Amino acid sequence: MNTKHIPADAADQSADSTAALMAGLRANRTAALMADPTAAAAAALTEVWRDATRVLSDDAESDHEGLESARDRVADVLRLLGAKLPEAQVLDVDDPAFDDRMLGRPGEARVGLAPATVTDATRPWSVPLPGYAPLDITPPELRGPEGLAAAVAQGWAEPYATPADVPDWTERQASALLPFDLDEHGRPLNPTGRTGRTGRNLGKWGENTAADPIVIAGVGADRRILLIKRDDVFQWAVPGGMVNPGELAKQALVRELREETGVDLAELTPHVLGSRYVDDWRNSDHAWVVTTVAVFTLPTEVTATAADDAADAQWLPFCDLPALEAALAAQGQQLYPAHRPLLALALEYLDSAAV
Ligand code: RP5
């Protein structure tokens, strides 16, 4: 193993590569902070750690000081997360891949958790996309027999390591809220097309059914909505959740609301708006969320207390979406973007029903 000087023109590109690494590091630190100490955050940081170490192994005129401190910060976070520090990755400069990787040519290690690029034109499965390499988002807790067994024992994951292991696709396709196909490998295909992500970061392969109760108090300009702050992405969302095996969506609406806010509306009949695909951050080409959305209307606000998956609960103005987002922004908070279409649907109903 020896080291190598990068020629002057190449050093400029190396600086770009350094900037990209630092940007990746920042993105991953943000992801780690947002995602709470999860194994997914540790995995993201591990990737940056490897890249930082790779650049440090070279003696080119890159920002070694900055990278060194970045590396130390990553190491601190990894230790806090209880993750094992990866081995330093030192590249052999005699390896033909060395220059490509340092100069950011094809073959450079991917930084961060960016999905593969998918455009509107290449999203449909019917459009061939040679070389499509979706990012595997399967978290460490669903990898390997032990991790999977633990997640199954906790009751939130099915035991199949790959979609080809699922024995009842015919039944699942028949009962799906949104129809979907299987590919030639027996994998379920996301009904909205390619996502740029593969693997599973949800309980099940294929459709994962959720229930989202939209709870409204008051009418017209005084209308308010009950939202919770999700404890994974720390954005404000409808207090919904996954439908349990054997449970009806209507039961899940009431249960999730009670679990996350303490509000019990079992005696009320909601207005069901229908089923919708949710652009959930955990969706992939082979596992996705479809929810049943329903509106509960109350004359006035009731006391809500955050619990379970909710880090906070609050009644917010809901005469329209801009008013809601402005109220959140005034607190330095954000709406969970995947729920914007569900809220727009609810507003359409509320306005038409003069609620
Ligand atoms: C969203 O995530 C659904 O719309 C629902 O609100 C929720 C279900 O996931 P968990 O909150 O149970 O993680 O996609």
Side-chain angles (χ1 to χ4, degrees):
M1 181 82 56
N2 55 9
T3 55
K4 177 179 177 179
H5 278 285
I6 291 184
D9 58 337
D12 288 342
Q13 293 181 62
S14 175
D16 286 344
S17 171
T18 303
L21 288 173
M22 295 302 285
L25 177 73
R26 274 195 295 277
N28 282 319
R29 288 187 70 231
T30 307
L33 290 172
M34 283 172 66
D36 214 1
T38 62
L45 289 167
T46 300
E47 200 172 343
V48 178
W49 163 280
R50 288 210 181 96
D51 281 326
T53 312
R54 170 167 62 79
V55 173
L56 284 168
S57 70
D58 175 65
D59 64 354
E61 293 171 24
S62 56
D63 179 10
H64 278 193
E65 215 179 295
L67 280 172
E68 251 154 10
S69 96
R71 182 191 61 180
D72 292 344
R73 286 203 307 274
V74 171
D76 286 342
V77 180
L78 283 169
R79 280 191 202 98
L80 273 177
L81 295 175
K84 193 169 162 283
L85 290 181
E87 289 295 314
Q89 184 194 6
V90 182
L91 290 184
D92 181 354
V93 297
D94 296 320
D95 179 337
F98 179 87
D99 283 347
D100 283 350
R101 297 185 75 153
M102 288 308 293
L103 301 183
R105 292 192 195 122
E108 185 180 42
R110 183 167 24 206
V111 175
L113 291 173
T117 304
V118 177
T119 64
D120 287 347
T122 59
R123 197 172 313 283
W125 292 109
S126 55
V127 176
L129 190 55
Y132 174 55
L135 177 77
D136 189 345
I137 58 164
T138 309
E141 61 264 34
L142 286 179
R143 288 179 194 265
E146 278 177 22
L148 198 51
V152 172
Q154 286 161 15
W156 67 274
E158 66 178 3
Y160 310 115
T162 75
D165 302 329
V166 174
D168 57 346
W169 279 125
T170 309
E171 289 82 354
R172 292 190 192 197
Q173 282 179 296
S175 63
L177 295 174
L178 268 193
F180 65 91
D181 294 320
L182 302 181
D183 69 7
E184 67 276 20
H185 307 292
R187 299 178 300 185
L189 292 177
N190 188 311
T192 66
R194 296 183 176 94
T195 62
R197 303 181 187 87
T198 188
R200 165 165 75 125
N201 191 8
L202 287 163
K204 292 167 68 178
W205 294 103
E207 183 178 280
N208 287 255
T209 49
D212 281 298
I214 295 182
V215 183
I216 305 296
V219 293
D222 296 329
R223 232 166 22 206
R224 293 175 82 78
I225 183 169
L226 177 57
L227 295 186
I228 54 109
K229 188 172 184 175
R230 290 185 62 100
D231 72 353
D232 50 9
V233 290
F234 292 105
Q235 292 167 326
W236 287 81
V238 176
M242 295 301 176
V243 178
N244 288 334
E247 188 180 41
L248 296 174
K250 281 186 179 175
Q251 296 168 326
L253 286 164
V254 171
R255 176 184 53 76
E256 282 291 337
L257 179 66
R258 193 174 44 229
E259 284 176 7
E260 299 197 347
T261 67
V263 173
D264 191 342
L265 299 186
E267 301 303 317
L268 289 192
T269 304
H271 178 83
V272 179
L273 295 174
S275 300
R276 287 284 182 286
Y277 178 86
V278 184
D279 193 13
D280 190 285
W281 62 281
R282 299 159 293 188
N283 287 347
S284 77
D285 287 352
H286 309 302
W288 59 91
V289 180
V290 178
T291 193
T292 297
V293 197
V295 178
F296 291 86
T297 46
L298 301 174
T300 53
E301 294 170 18
V302 293
T303 305
T305 312
D308 198 35
D309 293 345
D312 199 357
Q314 216 183 110
W315 287 96
L316 291 148
F318 194 52
C319 58
D320 54 28
L321 275 184
L324 172 61
E325 299 208 69
L328 287 172
Q331 303 177 42
Q333 304 291 310
Q334 281 180 337
L335 190 61
Y336 180 48
H339 279 177
R340 199 172 283 128
L342 312 188
L343 296 174
L345 197 66
L347 280 165
E348 218 174 275
Y349 160 70
L350 291 167
D351 288 341
S352 69
V355 179

